[in-house]
Amino acid sequence: MYQEVILDHYKNPHGRGLRDGDAEVHHVNPTCGDEITLRVRYDGDTVADVSYEGQGCSISQASASVLNELLVGKNLAEARRVQETFLELMQSKGQLTPDDAMEDVLEDAVAFAGVSKYPARVKCALLSWMAWKDATAQALGESPVKEKTA
Amino acid sequence: MYQEVILDHYKNPHGRGLRDGDAEVHHVNPTCGDEITLRVRYDGDTVADVSYEGQGCSISQASASVLNELLVGKNLAEARRVQETFLELMQSKGQLTPDDAMEDVLEDAVAFAGVSKYPARVKCALLSWMAWKDATAQALGESPVKEKTA
Amino acid sequence: MTSSRPGLPGLLDTEAIRKDFPVLDRQIHDGKRLVYLDNAATSQKPRQVLDALNTYYERHNANVHRGVHVLAEEATALYEGARDKVAAFVNAPSRDEVIFTKNASESLNLVANMLGWADEPYRVDHETEIVITEMEHHSNIVPWQLLAQRTGAKLKWFGLTDDGRLDLSNLDEVITEKTKVVSFTLVSNIMGTVNPVEEIVRRAQEVNALVVVDASQAAPHMVLDVQAIQADFVAFTGHKMCGPTGIGVLWGRQELLEDLPPFLGGGEMIETVSMHSSTYAPAPHKFEAGTPPIAQAVGLGAAVDYLSGIGMDAIAAHEHALTGYAVQRLQDVPDLRIIGPGTAEDRGAAISFVLGDIHPHDVGQVLDEQGIAVRVGHHCARPVCLRYGIPATTRASFYLYSTPAEVDALVEGLEYVRNFFG
Amino acid sequence: MTSSRPGLPGLLDTEAIRKDFPVLDRQIHDGKRLVYLDNAATSQKPRQVLDALNTYYERHNANVHRGVHVLAEEATALYEGARDKVAAFVNAPSRDEVIFTKNASESLNLVANMLGWADEPYRVDHETEIVITEMEHHSNIVPWQLLAQRTGAKLKWFGLTDDGRLDLSNLDEVITEKTKVVSFTLVSNIMGTVNPVEEIVRRAQEVNALVVVDASQAAPHMVLDVQAIQADFVAFTGHKMCGPTGIGVLWGRQELLEDLPPFLGGGEMIETVSMHSSTYAPAPHKFEAGTPPIAQAVGLGAAVDYLSGIGMDAIAAHEHALTGYAVQRLQDVPDLRIIGPGTAEDRGAAISFVLGDIHPHDVGQVLDEQGIAVRVGHHCARPVCLRYGIPATTRASFYLYSTPAEVDALVEGLEYVRNFFG
Ligand SMILES: Cc1ncc(COP(=O)(O)O)c(C=O)c1O
Ligand SMILES: Cc1ncc(COP(=O)(O)O)c(C=O)c1O
């Protein structure tokens, strides 16, 4: 699970810290308490920035760093394709060996293939990606937030 | 379990039917729906009458009949001794073989010894006896009734 | 797995099936072979289910959902895998609609409580009505009585016809614009009646009432398709369908589960907790507070596999044939009166009867002495006994391992009972 | 059954004990021996408990309380026999004070709901206060939050000191004349802290508040005497004390159980039912709606026999010795910070810690690769993590079969973790 690439991103995260954005979301992984606050900024339909802050394990931290590296600069359609491909890989329960096409899309993120065997960690790997999806939907005015409180 | 004596009392019950009394109670065996309405009448401290009506199995019917036969005419202390001895026998889980002294007190009621091996039926055998105890307490002003309703 | 017996088409190969159930070899009262006809109370468990329990405890036992170690992952996969199996078994649109409870009673209480604490449009309050039927199990009566008492809502019900069917002649007066919820049993546990779901659901939908179906006596015996019956909630219980005790199911429509408030609070059902406030996990976890019945869910999954392996249609056909045979033979017993439908049409495999004025307790006891296990009493459906003016009934109920020879044993046993008290 | 190891008096003969637990032989990750240190989440089950379950299902399985046939009588005797065993185990004045639930969470919700629906003097309403502590398990927080929210009562709590103890310096301000109920854990599941029951109970009794004790982490590990602690309710859960999943216990004082209203409605909990109204059975049945977790109660009875056979005092001594050893060895691991008491005094066998800035998820995962099962996260006690400003902890927790060698394995494993992420 702990590929060199993952440990590298964990120790030297890309784009960490909160900067200006069009929308901000806060996601929590209730099973372990991992949290992320993530902002997106769009420039037309280009992902101008993804900034984030949070606490979490090496997998969730590295995953956010990889996300930043991969998505910033891409246009929305491309970025969504990366997100969906990453989701597919993560939900594969270790059954999927990334082919060349997938590697082209995911680049460093293919290193997470091994994580998909560990259901408890899949959520860590996906935390920032789900947050990005949510933030993007909000930035584009597609969805409201809903919360229930005791 | 089905001693001849029990079947006899079942087929030819003593003192069945409701007559005048000083107190009336209604008891139910929730596990099987057996019900008894029982009245006691006291003449000083003599059990002048125990009258009853209800529906139930041979054990509960025969037991009420035996109760009537045994208790009517006795004074309260004697009657209570019979009731307590019967209770002891019924709670013995088949471990107790009635000795002569017990037979003297219980007479026909010793036939119920075998019932005590069957936990589900012990309540049937005790239904009228518990009702009598309750009714007596009420007749003597010792206890109120308490009920809870949905 | 179907054997044919002259005159009884559709029977299963019970000889093979019975080998899976250790308890059926049991001898009682000095060597009498057990004739177990108390299946509506609880079913016996096949070896396959016991194996699943043992394997779980001997190899995989751990608490679920929160662990990163191997056992915790295995236990979680087994537990959530059981949810997948149950979801498929009832044709649920989504696995997240399957909530594990401890029994059907908890499932029904869960619905009643959700509706009591809900916001509009679901909230049951003093201006609304709750509809049930006179043939409900106490577990589908008392929760609604409590809800009515605590909210001021009015409890109404459908009565019964003389032959043990729902009297729906006043359908439109019982279910009205004020009705918020209609809860009824698919199959009566005391009379075996199979109820006309479609007619009731149609009327409930007209007035926007939620429909709760108690499928405790259906899930073990027939194909149960929550989409086909168009209910909003369906409850059933594991121990009656070859599963362990301690596990029940509530299926509910996803959007309802999202909107309705939680019932029990605690670990597992939360998203985040602070001393000041908490937020809840999405369904099904929102409704599963605390460590769930993990092994029991796994056992229920194995039970569902076992039943599906034989085929719910085949099981239904077997029981239908056997019930037809039993109804016919019982009607030949003098003084015997069936309480409930007098034929095998639209009826499950539970048959209640009274035998002259011999009390059911006595019937059951004397049958037991012959090795025949039936249930006696009001079967947690006392209003049915009140309706038919009887204190109790004797109930014989069949399952996939029951045989015509066991029906014969019952009939002979009843003859003996008659002579004994005659 | 006590072996002595230099410097660690009081250890049990774990070699013998471990033979009773099949899962402890399990090898994971290519032949690594399982080191199971996740006992605060759930315990493993001895062969004796599995045997009791199998015997129940293979020979005696039937529904309880309502049958006159042999199996029903046997099942009832086994189920009620388990109640006797549990009553003796906690020194309950009466067996009828022992209610079987599905887990500790249900037990605690049951109390909260009884008090919400109770008549005076017990009723919790908007004029009253509920007191808990900041170290509660979510299962002893959320039910009270829900109760407070639904009744308008005010929820208050005791905070924590820096070394993981309850801060009772403001005892008299937190528990006041308005307090109706005080609910707290005997032993913290996250920090291992053993709380000073006497002091809290004394103050609660001064103001006539009911005392609820969450003994989920106590019952498995030490002598639990409900009379000695003078609580009104005590909750615990079977799966943490060698019993099956799917079974919990609520002990309550008889007069309270008589006066308080039921929670779940259904079969078994009634005295008599009509469509118009119902009356309830006396406790414990009043609080056990539906078919109970029969096999699971029987399994818990066997677990209690097993634990008593070894002796709760001996188990406590074993864990105390092991915890002392573990605390001392862990404090030698660089960058390791224990969250909770730093000694073995007044502490149970659960030890939480953080290791530098390596996230507990990573600690747990890398330990798992070495065969060591610990729990990571907030352990359903998130307010404790908030209090100490940490996202989560790694928790190792011991039981009667844990050994000093396993402590050594943990310490070595942690060294490896540090190097891996170093
Ligand atoms: C202190 C404490 N209370 C309550 C619980 C809840 O027990 P259960 O999950 O079995 O309901 C637990 C364990 O999870 C616990 O450790
Ligand atoms: C129709 C029906 N509903 C509900 C129940 C309650 O099931 P459980 O006792 O498992 O909660 C039963 C069985 O007892 C039943 O037959």
Side-chain angles (χ1 to χ4, degrees), chain B residues 1-2 7 10-11 26 28-35 55-60 118 120-121 124 149-150, chain C residues 29 142 145-146 149 357-359 361-363 365-366 368-369 376-378 382 390-392 420-422:
Chain B
M1 135 156 8
Y2 293 106
L7 290 175
Y10 170 52
K11 288 174 189 162
H26 180 75
V28 171
N29 179 347
T31 43
C32 62
D34 281 4
E35 300 191 15
Q55 52 191 16
C57 63
S58 58
I59 302 297
S60 71
Y118 298 85
R121 305 306 294 280
C124 308
T149 306
Chain C
H29 294 312
V142 184
Q145 287 180 336
L146 287 168
Q149 178 188 306
D357 57 5
I358 308 173
H359 192 280
H361 251 194
D362 292 316
V363 177
Q365 193 85 50
V366 175
D368 174 63
E369 284 168 9
V376 300
H378 52 50
R382 188 164 172 273
I390 48 175
F420 189 84
F421 291 103

Short mmCIF file of all heavy atoms in Angstrom, two decimals, chain B residues 1-2 7 10-11 26 28-35 55-60 118 120-121 124 149-150, chain C residues 29 142 145-146 149 357-359 361-363 365-366 368-369 376-378 382 390-392 420-422:
data_model
loop_
_atom_site.label_atom_id
_atom_site.label_comp_id
_atom_site.label_asym_id
_atom_site.label_seq_id
_atom_site.Cartn_x
_atom_site.Cartn_y
_atom_site.Cartn_z
N MET B 1 -48.59 -36.22 34.05
CA MET B 1 -49.21 -34.97 34.51
C MET B 1 -50.72 -35.12 34.70
O MET B 1 -51.28 -34.64 35.66
CB MET B 1 -48.86 -33.86 33.51
CG MET B 1 -50.02 -32.99 33.13
SD MET B 1 -49.68 -31.32 32.52
CE MET B 1 -47.96 -31.22 32.32
N TYR B 2 -51.33 -35.79 33.73
CA TYR B 2 -52.79 -35.86 33.80
C TYR B 2 -53.26 -37.00 34.71
O TYR B 2 -53.74 -38.04 34.24
CB TYR B 2 -53.39 -36.03 32.42
CG TYR B 2 -53.20 -34.80 31.55
CD1 TYR B 2 -52.27 -34.78 30.52
CD2 TYR B 2 -53.94 -33.65 31.79
CE1 TYR B 2 -52.09 -33.65 29.74
CE2 TYR B 2 -53.76 -32.52 31.01
CZ TYR B 2 -52.84 -32.52 29.99
OH TYR B 2 -52.66 -31.41 29.22
N LEU B 7 -58.20 -35.16 36.06
CA LEU B 7 -59.22 -35.29 35.00
C LEU B 7 -60.62 -35.31 35.61
O LEU B 7 -61.56 -34.74 35.04
CB LEU B 7 -58.95 -36.54 34.15
CG LEU B 7 -57.70 -36.44 33.26
CD1 LEU B 7 -57.43 -37.78 32.54
CD2 LEU B 7 -57.84 -35.32 32.23
N TYR B 10 -61.58 -31.87 36.52
CA TYR B 10 -61.79 -31.12 35.27
C TYR B 10 -63.19 -31.41 34.72
O TYR B 10 -63.93 -30.50 34.33
CB TYR B 10 -60.71 -31.53 34.27
CG TYR B 10 -60.91 -31.04 32.85
CD1 TYR B 10 -61.14 -29.69 32.59
CD2 TYR B 10 -60.85 -31.93 31.78
CE1 TYR B 10 -61.30 -29.25 31.28
CE2 TYR B 10 -61.00 -31.49 30.48
CZ TYR B 10 -61.23 -30.15 30.23
OH TYR B 10 -61.40 -29.72 28.95
N LYS B 11 -63.55 -32.70 34.73
CA LYS B 11 -64.84 -33.06 34.12
C LYS B 11 -66.01 -32.72 35.05
O LYS B 11 -67.11 -32.42 34.58
CB LYS B 11 -64.84 -34.54 33.74
CG LYS B 11 -63.92 -34.78 32.53
CD LYS B 11 -63.76 -36.26 32.17
CE LYS B 11 -62.66 -36.42 31.12
NZ LYS B 11 -62.16 -37.79 31.03
N HIS B 26 -59.96 -10.57 38.90
CA HIS B 26 -59.89 -11.17 37.57
C HIS B 26 -58.41 -11.38 37.26
O HIS B 26 -57.65 -10.42 37.21
CB HIS B 26 -60.53 -10.24 36.55
CG HIS B 26 -60.51 -10.78 35.16
ND1 HIS B 26 -61.35 -11.79 34.75
CD2 HIS B 26 -59.76 -10.47 34.09
CE1 HIS B 26 -61.11 -12.08 33.49
NE2 HIS B 26 -60.14 -11.29 33.05
N VAL B 28 -55.34 -13.21 34.78
CA VAL B 28 -55.10 -13.68 33.42
C VAL B 28 -53.72 -14.32 33.37
O VAL B 28 -52.79 -13.84 34.00
CB VAL B 28 -55.14 -12.50 32.44
CG1 VAL B 28 -54.68 -12.92 31.05
CG2 VAL B 28 -56.52 -11.90 32.39
N ASN B 29 -53.61 -15.39 32.64
CA ASN B 29 -52.29 -15.97 32.38
C ASN B 29 -51.88 -15.51 30.98
O ASN B 29 -52.38 -16.03 29.99
CB ASN B 29 -52.39 -17.49 32.45
CG ASN B 29 -51.07 -18.16 32.16
OD1 ASN B 29 -50.15 -17.52 31.69
ND2 ASN B 29 -50.99 -19.44 32.44
N PRO B 30 -50.99 -14.51 30.92
CA PRO B 30 -50.73 -13.90 29.62
C PRO B 30 -50.12 -14.88 28.61
O PRO B 30 -50.26 -14.70 27.41
CB PRO B 30 -49.76 -12.75 29.93
CG PRO B 30 -49.19 -13.08 31.27
CD PRO B 30 -50.18 -13.94 31.99
N THR B 31 -49.44 -15.90 29.09
CA THR B 31 -48.82 -16.80 28.12
C THR B 31 -49.84 -17.62 27.36
O THR B 31 -49.57 -18.05 26.25
CB THR B 31 -47.83 -17.77 28.81
OG1 THR B 31 -48.41 -18.26 30.01
CG2 THR B 31 -46.52 -17.08 29.11
N CYS B 32 -51.00 -17.88 27.91
CA CYS B 32 -51.93 -18.76 27.19
C CYS B 32 -53.34 -18.22 27.14
O CYS B 32 -54.21 -18.81 26.51
CB CYS B 32 -51.95 -20.13 27.84
SG CYS B 32 -52.55 -20.05 29.53
N GLY B 33 -53.61 -17.10 27.81
CA GLY B 33 -54.95 -16.56 27.74
C GLY B 33 -55.92 -17.17 28.74
O GLY B 33 -57.10 -16.85 28.73
N ASP B 34 -55.46 -18.06 29.61
CA ASP B 34 -56.35 -18.56 30.66
C ASP B 34 -56.82 -17.38 31.51
O ASP B 34 -56.04 -16.49 31.84
CB ASP B 34 -55.61 -19.55 31.58
CG ASP B 34 -55.49 -20.93 30.95
OD1 ASP B 34 -55.92 -21.10 29.80
OD2 ASP B 34 -54.98 -21.83 31.63
N GLU B 35 -58.10 -17.41 31.87
CA GLU B 35 -58.65 -16.33 32.67
C GLU B 35 -59.51 -16.89 33.78
O GLU B 35 -60.15 -17.92 33.61
CB GLU B 35 -59.54 -15.42 31.81
CG GLU B 35 -58.81 -14.78 30.67
CD GLU B 35 -59.63 -13.69 29.99
OE1 GLU B 35 -60.62 -13.25 30.58
OE2 GLU B 35 -59.26 -13.31 28.88
N GLN B 55 -62.09 -19.47 31.87
CA GLN B 55 -61.80 -20.42 30.81
C GLN B 55 -60.36 -20.82 30.96
O GLN B 55 -59.52 -20.01 31.39
CB GLN B 55 -62.04 -19.79 29.44
CG GLN B 55 -61.33 -18.45 29.25
CD GLN B 55 -61.79 -17.73 28.00
OE1 GLN B 55 -62.83 -18.06 27.42
NE2 GLN B 55 -61.02 -16.76 27.57
N GLY B 56 -60.08 -22.04 30.64
CA GLY B 56 -58.70 -22.46 30.80
C GLY B 56 -58.58 -23.94 30.56
O GLY B 56 -59.55 -24.64 30.27
N CYS B 57 -57.37 -24.39 30.69
CA CYS B 57 -57.08 -25.78 30.40
C CYS B 57 -57.51 -26.66 31.56
O CYS B 57 -57.94 -26.18 32.60
CB CYS B 57 -55.59 -25.92 30.16
SG CYS B 57 -54.61 -25.52 31.61
N SER B 58 -57.39 -27.94 31.36
CA SER B 58 -57.80 -28.89 32.39
C SER B 58 -57.06 -28.63 33.70
O SER B 58 -57.64 -28.75 34.77
CB SER B 58 -57.52 -30.32 31.92
OG SER B 58 -56.15 -30.46 31.63
N ILE B 59 -55.81 -28.25 33.59
CA ILE B 59 -55.02 -28.03 34.81
C ILE B 59 -55.57 -26.84 35.60
O ILE B 59 -55.78 -26.94 36.81
CB ILE B 59 -53.53 -27.79 34.45
CG1 ILE B 59 -52.96 -28.98 33.67
CG2 ILE B 59 -52.70 -27.50 35.69
CD1 ILE B 59 -52.93 -30.29 34.42
N SER B 60 -55.82 -25.75 34.91
CA SER B 60 -56.29 -24.57 35.65
C SER B 60 -57.72 -24.78 36.16
O SER B 60 -58.07 -24.35 37.25
CB SER B 60 -56.18 -23.30 34.81
OG SER B 60 -57.12 -23.27 33.78
N TYR B 118 -43.40 -28.99 34.62
CA TYR B 118 -43.67 -28.28 33.36
C TYR B 118 -43.84 -26.79 33.63
O TYR B 118 -44.95 -26.34 33.95
CB TYR B 118 -44.93 -28.84 32.70
CG TYR B 118 -44.81 -30.29 32.33
CD1 TYR B 118 -45.07 -31.30 33.25
CD2 TYR B 118 -44.41 -30.65 31.04
CE1 TYR B 118 -44.95 -32.64 32.91
CE2 TYR B 118 -44.29 -31.99 30.69
CZ TYR B 118 -44.56 -32.98 31.63
OH TYR B 118 -44.43 -34.30 31.28
N ALA B 120 -44.30 -24.21 31.97
CA ALA B 120 -45.36 -23.48 31.27
C ALA B 120 -46.71 -23.76 31.90
O ALA B 120 -47.65 -22.99 31.75
CB ALA B 120 -45.37 -23.86 29.79
N ARG B 121 -46.83 -24.91 32.60
CA ARG B 121 -48.13 -25.26 33.15
C ARG B 121 -48.28 -24.89 34.62
O ARG B 121 -49.40 -24.90 35.15
CB ARG B 121 -48.38 -26.77 32.98
CG ARG B 121 -48.23 -27.26 31.54
CD ARG B 121 -49.11 -26.46 30.57
NE ARG B 121 -50.54 -26.64 30.78
CZ ARG B 121 -51.24 -27.67 30.34
NH1 ARG B 121 -50.65 -28.66 29.70
NH2 ARG B 121 -52.53 -27.73 30.54
N CYS B 124 -50.67 -22.26 35.10
CA CYS B 124 -52.07 -22.68 34.98
C CYS B 124 -52.56 -23.19 36.32
O CYS B 124 -53.64 -22.85 36.79
CB CYS B 124 -52.22 -23.80 33.94
SG CYS B 124 -51.48 -23.44 32.35
N THR B 149 -51.93 0.63 31.55
CA THR B 149 -52.62 0.48 30.27
C THR B 149 -51.93 1.26 29.16
O THR B 149 -51.44 2.36 29.40
CB THR B 149 -54.07 1.01 30.42
OG1 THR B 149 -54.68 0.36 31.51
CG2 THR B 149 -54.88 0.76 29.17
N ALA B 150 -51.88 0.66 27.97
CA ALA B 150 -51.32 1.39 26.82
C ALA B 150 -52.35 2.29 26.21
O ALA B 150 -53.46 1.88 25.98
CB ALA B 150 -50.83 0.43 25.76
N HIS C 29 -38.95 -37.59 24.81
CA HIS C 29 -39.84 -38.50 25.56
C HIS C 29 -39.54 -39.96 25.25
O HIS C 29 -40.36 -40.67 24.65
CB HIS C 29 -41.31 -38.19 25.24
CG HIS C 29 -41.74 -36.85 25.71
ND1 HIS C 29 -41.50 -36.38 26.97
CD2 HIS C 29 -42.40 -35.86 25.07
CE1 HIS C 29 -42.01 -35.17 27.09
NE2 HIS C 29 -42.55 -34.83 25.96
N VAL C 142 -48.87 -3.02 19.47
CA VAL C 142 -48.44 -2.21 20.63
C VAL C 142 -47.59 -1.00 20.24
O VAL C 142 -47.79 0.08 20.80
CB VAL C 142 -47.74 -3.11 21.69
CG1 VAL C 142 -47.40 -2.28 22.93
CG2 VAL C 142 -48.64 -4.28 22.08
N GLN C 145 -50.07 1.53 19.29
CA GLN C 145 -50.83 2.01 20.46
C GLN C 145 -49.99 3.00 21.25
O GLN C 145 -50.48 4.05 21.68
CB GLN C 145 -51.23 0.82 21.35
CG GLN C 145 -52.33 -0.04 20.77
CD GLN C 145 -52.71 -1.21 21.68
OE1 GLN C 145 -51.90 -1.65 22.50
NE2 GLN C 145 -53.92 -1.74 21.52
N LEU C 146 -48.71 2.66 21.44
CA LEU C 146 -47.82 3.57 22.17
C LEU C 146 -47.68 4.89 21.43
O LEU C 146 -47.73 5.97 22.02
CB LEU C 146 -46.44 2.93 22.37
CG LEU C 146 -46.35 1.80 23.40
CD1 LEU C 146 -45.01 1.07 23.29
CD2 LEU C 146 -46.52 2.34 24.82
N GLN C 149 -50.85 6.86 21.76
CA GLN C 149 -50.99 7.38 23.11
C GLN C 149 -50.05 8.56 23.34
O GLN C 149 -50.41 9.53 23.99
CB GLN C 149 -50.66 6.23 24.05
CG GLN C 149 -50.68 6.52 25.51
CD GLN C 149 -50.15 5.30 26.27
OE1 GLN C 149 -50.64 4.18 26.11
NE2 GLN C 149 -49.13 5.52 27.08
N ASP C 357 -64.26 -28.72 22.97
CA ASP C 357 -63.99 -27.78 24.06
C ASP C 357 -62.75 -28.19 24.85
O ASP C 357 -62.57 -27.79 26.01
CB ASP C 357 -65.21 -27.59 24.97
CG ASP C 357 -65.69 -28.90 25.54
OD1 ASP C 357 -64.99 -29.94 25.29
OD2 ASP C 357 -66.73 -28.92 26.21
N ILE C 358 -61.90 -28.95 24.22
CA ILE C 358 -60.62 -29.29 24.87
C ILE C 358 -59.71 -28.07 24.74
O ILE C 358 -59.50 -27.55 23.64
CB ILE C 358 -59.96 -30.51 24.20
CG1 ILE C 358 -60.95 -31.68 24.13
CG2 ILE C 358 -58.69 -30.91 24.96
CD1 ILE C 358 -60.43 -32.86 23.34
N HIS C 359 -59.18 -27.63 25.85
CA HIS C 359 -58.38 -26.41 25.81
C HIS C 359 -57.07 -26.65 25.04
O HIS C 359 -56.45 -27.70 25.20
CB HIS C 359 -58.07 -25.95 27.24
CG HIS C 359 -57.50 -24.57 27.30
ND1 HIS C 359 -56.19 -24.29 27.04
CD2 HIS C 359 -58.09 -23.38 27.56
CE1 HIS C 359 -55.99 -22.99 27.17
NE2 HIS C 359 -57.14 -22.42 27.48
N HIS C 361 -54.15 -25.76 25.49
CA HIS C 361 -53.05 -26.17 26.35
C HIS C 361 -53.01 -27.68 26.52
O HIS C 361 -51.94 -28.29 26.53
CB HIS C 361 -53.20 -25.54 27.73
CG HIS C 361 -52.20 -24.49 27.99
ND1 HIS C 361 -51.95 -23.98 29.22
CD2 HIS C 361 -51.36 -23.85 27.15
CE1 HIS C 361 -51.02 -23.07 29.15
NE2 HIS C 361 -50.65 -22.96 27.90
N ASP C 362 -54.17 -28.25 26.67
CA ASP C 362 -54.23 -29.69 26.85
C ASP C 362 -53.94 -30.42 25.54
O ASP C 362 -53.27 -31.45 25.52
CB ASP C 362 -55.60 -30.09 27.40
CG ASP C 362 -55.80 -29.58 28.83
OD1 ASP C 362 -54.86 -29.71 29.63
OD2 ASP C 362 -56.88 -29.05 29.13
N VAL C 363 -54.42 -29.84 24.46
CA VAL C 363 -54.13 -30.43 23.15
C VAL C 363 -52.61 -30.46 22.94
O VAL C 363 -52.02 -31.49 22.61
CB VAL C 363 -54.80 -29.63 22.01
CG1 VAL C 363 -54.42 -30.21 20.66
CG2 VAL C 363 -56.32 -29.60 22.19
N GLN C 365 -50.18 -30.24 25.09
CA GLN C 365 -49.44 -31.07 26.04
C GLN C 365 -49.50 -32.54 25.64
O GLN C 365 -48.49 -33.25 25.66
CB GLN C 365 -50.03 -30.90 27.44
CG GLN C 365 -49.15 -31.46 28.53
CD GLN C 365 -48.11 -30.45 28.96
OE1 GLN C 365 -48.44 -29.29 29.25
NE2 GLN C 365 -46.86 -30.85 28.98
N VAL C 366 -50.66 -32.98 25.27
CA VAL C 366 -50.81 -34.40 24.94
C VAL C 366 -50.15 -34.70 23.58
O VAL C 366 -49.60 -35.79 23.38
CB VAL C 366 -52.29 -34.82 25.01
CG1 VAL C 366 -52.47 -36.26 24.56
CG2 VAL C 366 -52.80 -34.66 26.45
N ASP C 368 -47.47 -33.15 22.62
CA ASP C 368 -46.05 -33.16 22.98
C ASP C 368 -45.63 -34.52 23.52
O ASP C 368 -44.54 -35.00 23.21
CB ASP C 368 -45.76 -32.08 24.02
CG ASP C 368 -44.32 -32.15 24.53
OD1 ASP C 368 -43.41 -31.95 23.70
OD2 ASP C 368 -44.12 -32.41 25.73
N GLU C 369 -46.50 -35.12 24.31
CA GLU C 369 -46.15 -36.44 24.85
C GLU C 369 -45.93 -37.46 23.73
O GLU C 369 -45.27 -38.47 23.93
CB GLU C 369 -47.26 -36.92 25.81
CG GLU C 369 -47.19 -36.20 27.16
CD GLU C 369 -48.42 -36.43 28.03
OE1 GLU C 369 -49.26 -37.27 27.67
OE2 GLU C 369 -48.54 -35.73 29.06
N VAL C 376 -49.55 -23.43 21.26
CA VAL C 376 -50.92 -23.20 21.75
C VAL C 376 -50.95 -21.84 22.42
O VAL C 376 -49.93 -21.37 22.92
CB VAL C 376 -51.34 -24.29 22.76
CG1 VAL C 376 -51.30 -25.66 22.11
CG2 VAL C 376 -50.45 -24.28 24.01
N GLY C 377 -52.10 -21.21 22.42
CA GLY C 377 -52.23 -19.91 23.06
C GLY C 377 -52.83 -18.91 22.10
O GLY C 377 -53.55 -19.29 21.16
N HIS C 378 -52.52 -17.64 22.34
CA HIS C 378 -53.07 -16.62 21.44
C HIS C 378 -52.07 -16.20 20.38
O HIS C 378 -52.35 -15.34 19.56
CB HIS C 378 -53.61 -15.42 22.22
CG HIS C 378 -52.62 -14.85 23.19
ND1 HIS C 378 -51.33 -14.53 22.86
CD2 HIS C 378 -52.74 -14.54 24.51
CE1 HIS C 378 -50.70 -14.05 23.90
NE2 HIS C 378 -51.51 -14.06 24.93
N ARG C 382 -53.84 -11.75 20.20
CA ARG C 382 -55.01 -11.96 21.04
C ARG C 382 -56.28 -11.38 20.45
O ARG C 382 -57.35 -11.99 20.59
CB ARG C 382 -54.73 -11.39 22.43
CG ARG C 382 -55.80 -11.72 23.45
CD ARG C 382 -55.32 -11.46 24.86
NE ARG C 382 -56.44 -11.62 25.80
CZ ARG C 382 -57.28 -10.64 26.11
NH1 ARG C 382 -57.15 -9.45 25.57
NH2 ARG C 382 -58.26 -10.87 26.97
N ILE C 390 -62.81 -17.14 21.21
CA ILE C 390 -62.11 -18.32 21.73
C ILE C 390 -60.96 -17.86 22.62
O ILE C 390 -60.41 -16.78 22.41
CB ILE C 390 -61.56 -19.20 20.58
CG1 ILE C 390 -60.81 -18.31 19.58
CG2 ILE C 390 -62.68 -19.96 19.90
CD1 ILE C 390 -60.13 -19.06 18.48
N PRO C 391 -60.60 -18.65 23.61
CA PRO C 391 -59.51 -18.23 24.49
C PRO C 391 -58.15 -18.36 23.81
O PRO C 391 -57.22 -17.62 24.12
CB PRO C 391 -59.60 -19.19 25.67
CG PRO C 391 -60.28 -20.40 25.14
CD PRO C 391 -61.21 -19.93 24.06
N ALA C 392 -58.04 -19.32 22.93
CA ALA C 392 -56.72 -19.64 22.38
C ALA C 392 -56.94 -20.63 21.23
O ALA C 392 -58.06 -21.09 21.00
CB ALA C 392 -55.85 -20.27 23.46
N PHE C 420 -58.37 -39.16 24.83
CA PHE C 420 -57.84 -38.95 26.18
C PHE C 420 -58.79 -38.10 27.02
O PHE C 420 -59.04 -38.39 28.19
CB PHE C 420 -56.48 -38.26 26.07
CG PHE C 420 -55.74 -38.18 27.38
CD1 PHE C 420 -54.97 -39.25 27.81
CD2 PHE C 420 -55.81 -37.05 28.18
CE1 PHE C 420 -54.29 -39.18 29.02
CE2 PHE C 420 -55.13 -36.98 29.38
CZ PHE C 420 -54.37 -38.06 29.80
N PHE C 421 -59.29 -37.02 26.42
CA PHE C 421 -60.18 -36.13 27.19
C PHE C 421 -61.65 -36.43 26.94
O PHE C 421 -62.52 -35.74 27.43
CB PHE C 421 -59.89 -34.67 26.84
CG PHE C 421 -58.55 -34.21 27.35
CD1 PHE C 421 -57.47 -34.09 26.49
CD2 PHE C 421 -58.37 -33.91 28.68
CE1 PHE C 421 -56.24 -33.67 26.95
CE2 PHE C 421 -57.14 -33.49 29.15
CZ PHE C 421 -56.07 -33.37 28.28
N GLY C 422 -61.93 -37.47 26.13
CA GLY C 422 -63.30 -37.73 25.67
C GLY C 422 -64.22 -38.22 26.79
O GLY C 422 -63.81 -38.56 27.87
#
